[in-house]
């Protein structure tokens, strides 16, 4: 008993002595060991590896329960001196307990660090910080040599921890005007080792803005737990689970999209990897009411063989109005689903994807039926072997199919077919809104908005090498398309695109009882694009077009139109396009009617103004006026002309309108229309062939002589010149030359009538004298005198 007490006493003294020595070491070693003297060496050793500058604060050592080295602040700047990383509180420590259990644990901690990541056209500043250092001088390991077992054991038990606590990360992309600010960023890596489960957790609060439209705000959570497995030969496998939780994010893009905090946005899955293969399984991605499940794997990393499968649920369309405000007015109903598969080696990888939208309904515009939309795609390495799109609904059928050879130099062929698209049967179109009354003009009108430069919008296409190498051909064959009562029939088209040239090789359709055929070639390569075209229209019923709400023809001319035109031009910007357009052709409109020009009324007004102007020269005309002239549209058997377009002016030098069986006012002359302002300039001759105004019946008596058809030249209908100005939508006739014209005709007719009367009187006297002389002469002489009288002409 006494011996055991003595033993315990010595043990207690030894323990107390060790404890005292430990305390002395804890107090004295940090005082005796100046770790700060290593600071210049650390900075100097890091310099060859950095494209920048490292600044360290004072280093201090603490041994309270752990080996801890504290850094009183550090800063890392890039080559231009811009701060990249900085922190005022940094340390790394190893607990004594980790040595005792044979599993040393080093933890590196940064508290409230500031990180600045900037992307410029030259690259990302963080990636340019590190440069290649001096090469290691160690000799290569002998072939077949392996690390000692104890080293593998020690390495497998060693652990590393990393902590970024309450960090601030600012990311700026100078190219896309993206600014992302992440506050309260916490990154915790626990037990990073070769033989223990590793835990990684990232939490942060985002505050991101992009181009003043995209906004992302709120908390995020990322977590990973991985368990590596080692064997005598080294790494054997790793199994991991991961989760991402973005439910708390508030994401908005202007008025187009808004995900509020609380709307599901998360995912999870598992990862299993060996030196030869990796597989992601049990993958579930959720966004709002959409859920995508899938898996993916890779075999043989030297020549990987990949497999993947993804399948969505049936996603109801209605709830998406909560995220996309523009959909609210449509009240979409129906569901959508998506599936995709991939398999094969990297040099021959095959993708199959299918999208299905069914039972679709909408309110604005109202869908009368529930169409089904199906799209599928098969991609093999660098080509699309099959791309298909189908749209089906009662009375509607559309199919698009195509292939693409090579993504770097695309050569594509597409075909669009349809047995008919009756959109009136599919959609209930809203009634056209009534035109609102024009607002009173403001004294100081706002400046017009800057027009888009459509030519410049093509610059990205011109500088894209893939676009320059693209070759596309599309064939269209649609039996008909019907919309708002207008039926387009027999639609055929062949379109190609190659070498930045778009070629409409053929285009045909039937509409409004007639046909339209066209071709065009657009060269998009020049800074100012050029084009040439041909157009032929036959038998187009313009009255049907107006009845079908085609306002383009409403205030012009009705009838059966046929015309041909060919031309060329440059620029897609409206004003220069009008200036550069050069074209010529011919037109013919049968059974035509002017909708804004009452030619009969215009003719009557012209004649009445002429009668009024002639009263001073021919007082007999006082009070004589045509009654009931005009007031009804004048029809024409044919309106025809050749035409040309140059310098934004449309000219018809030989315009003619022949009334024929319509018994109206005939027209011939020259007409021009400005394409920019629609100004009208016409010099016509109006011909009252059928005397519908009654102007040919105007007569007077001068010096006892009746002058019939005062306003018409002998044997001719009443005709006179007239000028038109204003616009094609509001023509303004001018009667300035009408009075002068009719004055000449009337005076000539009056003078002719007076001369005829004088001739008749002289002839009567001569006849009387001859008869008198013949009565007194001998019979033979009488016959001679009468024969002589017959030879007098008056």
């Amino acid at each position: 008993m006494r011996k055991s007490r003595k033993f315990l006493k010595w043990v207690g003294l030894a323990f107390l002595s060790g404890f005292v020595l430990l305390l002395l070491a804890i107090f004295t070693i940090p005082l005796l060991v100046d770790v700060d003297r290593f600071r210049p060496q650390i900075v100097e050793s890091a310099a060859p590896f950095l494209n920048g500058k490292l600044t360290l604060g004072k280093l201090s050592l603490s041994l309270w329960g752990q080996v801890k080295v504290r850094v009183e602040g550090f800063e890392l700047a890039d080559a231009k001196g811009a701060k990249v990383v900085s922190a005022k509180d940094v340390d790394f420590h190893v607990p004594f307990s980790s040595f005792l259990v044979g599993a040393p644990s080093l933890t590196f901690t940064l508290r409230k660090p500031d990180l600045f990541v900037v992307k410029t056209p030259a690259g990302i500043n963080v990636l340019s910080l590190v440069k290649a250092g001096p090469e290691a001088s160690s000799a290569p390991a002998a072939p077949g040599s392996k690390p000692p077992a104890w080293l593998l054991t020690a390495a497998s038990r060693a652990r590393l921890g990393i902590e970024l606590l309450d960090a601030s990360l600012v990311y700026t992309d100078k190219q896309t005007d993206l600014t992302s600010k992440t506050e309260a960023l916490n990154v915790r890596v626990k037990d990073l080792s070769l033989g223990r489960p590793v835990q990684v957790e990232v939490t942060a609060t985002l505050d991101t803005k992009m181009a003043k439209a995209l906004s992302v705000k709120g908390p995020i959570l990322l977590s990973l737990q991985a368990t590596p497995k080692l064997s005598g030969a080294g790494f054997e496998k790793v199994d991991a689970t991961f989760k991402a939780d973005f439910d708390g994010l508030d994401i908005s893009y202007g008025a187009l999209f808004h995900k509020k905090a609380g709307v599901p946005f998360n995912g999870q899955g598992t990862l299993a990897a060996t030196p030869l293969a990796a597989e992601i399984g049990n993958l579930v991605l959720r966004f709002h009411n959409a859920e995508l499940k899938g898996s993916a794997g890779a075999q043989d990393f030297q020549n990987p063989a990949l497999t993947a499968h993804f399948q969505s649920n049936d996603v109801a369309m209605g709830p998406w109005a909560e995220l996309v405000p523009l959909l609210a007015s449509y009240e979409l109903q129906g569901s959508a689903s998506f599936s995709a598969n991939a398999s094969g080696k990297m040099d021959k990888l095959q993708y199959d994807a299918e999208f299905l939208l069914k039972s679709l309904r909408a309110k604005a515009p109202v869908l009368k039926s529930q169409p089904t939309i199906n799209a599928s795609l098969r991609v093999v390495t660098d080509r699309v072997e099959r791309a298909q799109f189908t749209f089906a609904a009662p009375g509607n059928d559309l199919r698009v199919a195509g292939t693409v050879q090579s993504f770097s130099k695309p050569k594509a062929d597409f075909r669009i077919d349809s047995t008919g698209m009756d959109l009136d049967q599919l959609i209930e179109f809203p009634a056209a809104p009534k035109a609102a009354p024009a607002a009173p003009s403001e004294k100081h009108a706002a400046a017009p908005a800057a027009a888009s430069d459509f030519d410049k919008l093509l610059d990205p296409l011109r500088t894209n090498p893939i676009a320059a190498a693209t070759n596309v051909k599309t064939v269209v064959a649609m039996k008909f398309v019907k919309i708002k009562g207008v039926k387009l029939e027999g639609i055929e088209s062949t379109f190609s695109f190659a070498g930045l040239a778009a070629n409409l090789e053929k285009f045909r359709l039937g509409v409004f009882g007639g046909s339209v055929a066209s071709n065009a070639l657009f060269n998009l390569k020049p800074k100012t694009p050029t084009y040439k075209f041909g157009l032929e229209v036959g038998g187009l019923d313009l009255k049907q077009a107006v009845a079908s709400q085609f306002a383009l023809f409403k205030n012009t001319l009705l009838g059966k139109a046929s015309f041909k035109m060919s031309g060329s031009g440059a620029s897609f910007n409206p004003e220069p396009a009008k200036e550069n357009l050069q074209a010529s052709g011919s037109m013919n409109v049968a059974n035509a009617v002017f909708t804004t020009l009452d030619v009969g009324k215009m003719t009557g007004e012209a004649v009445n103004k002429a009668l009024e102007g002639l009263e001073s020269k021919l007082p007999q005309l006082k009070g004589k006026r045509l009654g009931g002239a005009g007031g009804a549209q004048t029809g024409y058997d044919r309106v025809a002309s050749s035409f040309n377009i140059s310098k934004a002016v449309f000219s018809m030098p030989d315009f003619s309108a022949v009334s024929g069986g319509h018994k109206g006012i005939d027209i011939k002359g020259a007409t021009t229309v400005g394409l920019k302002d629609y100004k009208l300039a016409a010099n016509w001759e109006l011909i009252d062939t059928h005397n519908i105004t009654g102007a040919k019946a105007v007569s007077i008596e001068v010096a006892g002589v009746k002058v019939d058809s005062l306003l018409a030249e002998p044997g001719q209908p009443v005709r006179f010149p007239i000028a038109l100005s204003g616009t094609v939508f509001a023509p303004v006739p001018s009667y300035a030359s009408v009075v002068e014209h009719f004055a000449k005709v009337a005076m000539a007719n009056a003078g002719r009538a007076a001369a005829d009367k004088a001739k008749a009187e002289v002839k009567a006297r001569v006849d009387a004298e001859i008869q008198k002389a013949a009565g007194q002469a001998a019979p033979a002489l009488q016959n001679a005198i009468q024969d002589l009288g017959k030879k007098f002409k008056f």
Side-chain angles (χ1 to χ4, degrees), residues 297-617:
Q299 302 287 331
D300 185 5
F301 292 143
Q302 292 185 347
N303 184 20
L306 304 179
T307 58
H309 172 73
F310 297 94
Q311 177 72 52
S312 77
N313 61 329
D314 279 340
V315 183
M317 301 297 296
W320 281 81
E322 300 174 18
L323 277 66
V324 185
L326 293 178
L327 295 179
S329 60
Y330 294 93
E331 296 186 10
L332 283 181
Q333 300 295 326
S335 64
S337 61
F338 169 81
S339 65
N341 295 281
S343 61
K345 295 284 188 179
M346 290 297 294
D347 57 348
K348 195 174 182 180
L349 195 59
Q350 177 177 306
Y351 306 86
D352 285 281
E354 183 173 10
F355 173 81
L356 179 64
L357 181 61
K358 59 185 179 181
S359 301
L360 182 64
R361 294 192 69 84
K363 182 179 180 181
V366 175
L367 291 179
K368 299 178 181 178
S369 59
Q370 299 180 351
T372 296
I373 300 172
N374 184 269
S376 62
L377 182 72
R378 169 169 288 183
V379 179
V380 178
T381 313
D382 66 340
R383 66 184 186 275
V384 178
E385 286 195 345
R386 184 192 73 246
Q388 291 183 336
F389 172 89
T390 60
F391 179 96
N396 290 267
D397 170 68
L398 181 67
R399 299 174 305 280
V400 181
T403 61
V404 179
Q405 302 296 322
S406 174
F407 294 146
S408 58
K409 295 182 179 180
K411 183 178 181 181
D413 286 282
F414 290 95
R415 183 175 179 87
I416 302 174
D417 293 281
S418 175
T419 58
M421 290 291 292
D422 188 348
L423 300 181
D424 290 339
Q425 188 175 343
L426 176 68
I427 302 172
E428 185 176 320
F429 292 101
K434 294 182 179 179
S441 59
E442 296 289 341
K443 185 175 181 180
H444 301 289
S452 298
D453 188 340
F454 298 107
D455 296 344
K456 190 172 181 61
L457 291 176
L458 294 172
D459 284 348
L461 190 68
R462 299 186 186 103
T463 57
N464 189 320
I466 295 179
T470 296
N471 188 322
V472 179
K473 184 174 183 179
T474 302
V475 177
V476 179
M478 303 179 71
K479 189 173 182 180
F480 72 87
V481 173
K482 185 180 178 184
I483 178 171
K484 292 188 176 181
V486 179
K487 193 171 186 180
L488 310 177
E489 299 180 283
I491 302 171
E492 297 180 5
S493 175
T494 301
F495 171 84
S496 62
F497 180 88
L500 294 180
N503 187 5
L504 183 63
E505 301 170 16
K506 179 182 73 173
F507 178 78
R508 291 194 183 98
L509 62 80
V511 63
F512 303 129
S515 62
V516 178
S518 178
N519 61 78
L521 178 63
F522 301 89
N523 186 359
L524 309 181
K525 188 178 294 184
K527 185 176 181 181
T528 300
T530 61
Y531 60 88
K532 58 182 180 179
F533 66 93
L535 179 64
E536 184 172 347
V537 176
L540 191 70
D541 191 332
L542 300 181
K543 188 174 182 180
Q544 284 188 36
V546 170
S548 300
Q549 302 179 352
F550 274 63
L552 175 65
F553 306 111
K554 184 177 181 181
N555 297 318
T556 53
L557 187 68
L558 302 183
K560 286 274 189 177
S562 299
F563 62 87
K564 294 181 179 180
M565 179 170 63
S566 60
S568 62
S571 180
F572 295 144
N573 293 320
E575 294 307 311
K578 293 175 183 178
E579 286 287 345
N580 296 329
L581 178 60
Q582 299 285 331
S584 61
S586 61
M587 59 163 284
N588 183 81
V589 182
N591 297 319
V593 173
F594 289 102
T595 58
T596 58
L597 192 64
D598 188 339
V599 181
K601 180 180 179 181
M602 185 174 63
T603 305
E605 288 177 352
V607 173
N608 284 334
K609 286 185 177 293
L611 293 175
E612 182 181 353
L614 289 172
E615 287 181 355
S616 60
K617 296 181 179 181

Side-chain angles (χ1 to χ4, degrees), residues 3 83 447 543:
K3 290 183 178 181
K83 184 165 59 176
K543 188 174 182 180

Side-chain angles (χ1 to χ4, degrees), residues 143-296:
S145 64
K146 295 182 181 180
W150 67 267
L151 182 59
L152 284 176
T153 302
S156 66
R157 296 176 64 85
R159 294 171 292 160
L160 174 66
I162 301 174
E163 293 180 332
L164 267 70
L165 304 179
D166 201 16
S168 173
L169 170 64
V170 178
Y171 174 78
T172 304
D173 190 333
K174 300 291 187 181
Q175 293 176 289
T176 61
D177 192 24
L178 168 68
T179 299
S180 173
K181 187 175 183 181
T182 304
E183 297 286 1
L185 173 62
N186 295 284
V187 179
R188 293 181 174 88
V189 180
K190 184 178 180 182
D191 292 340
L192 181 60
S193 67
L194 298 177
R196 295 174 61 90
V198 181
Q199 297 179 22
V200 180
E201 182 179 88
V202 178
T203 62
T205 301
L206 301 183
D207 187 354
T208 301
K209 290 184 178 179
M210 182 177 182
K212 299 181 181 179
L214 176 64
S215 174
V216 181
K217 295 182 179 181
I220 64 170
L221 169 63
L222 302 171
S223 65
L224 169 72
Q225 182 165 340
T227 303
K229 183 178 180 181
L230 299 178
S231 66
F235 171 71
E236 182 176 325
K237 67 176 296 187
V238 61
D239 292 305
T241 60
F242 55 87
K243 292 182 180 180
D245 186 350
F246 304 142
D247 292 358
L249 288 180
D250 185 294
I251 306 173
S252 63
Y253 188 82
L256 299 179
F257 179 86
H258 186 196
K259 174 209 170 295
K260 298 179 180 179
V263 173
F265 184 16
N266 56 71
Q268 63 188 51
T270 61
L271 171 66
T274 69
L276 298 177
E279 181 179 0
I280 297 176
N282 303 313
L283 181 65
V284 180
L285 304 176
R286 304 179 186 88
F287 187 74
H288 195 26
N289 65 335
E291 184 176 273
L292 185 67
K293 294 182 178 181
S295 61

Side-chain angles (χ1 to χ4, degrees), residues 585 638 640-643 651-657 667-671:
R638 175 174 54 85
S641 181
S642 62
F643 62 83
S651 302
M652 293 183 287
D654 51 2
F655 179 82
S656 66
I667 305 171
K668 66 178 181 179
T671 305

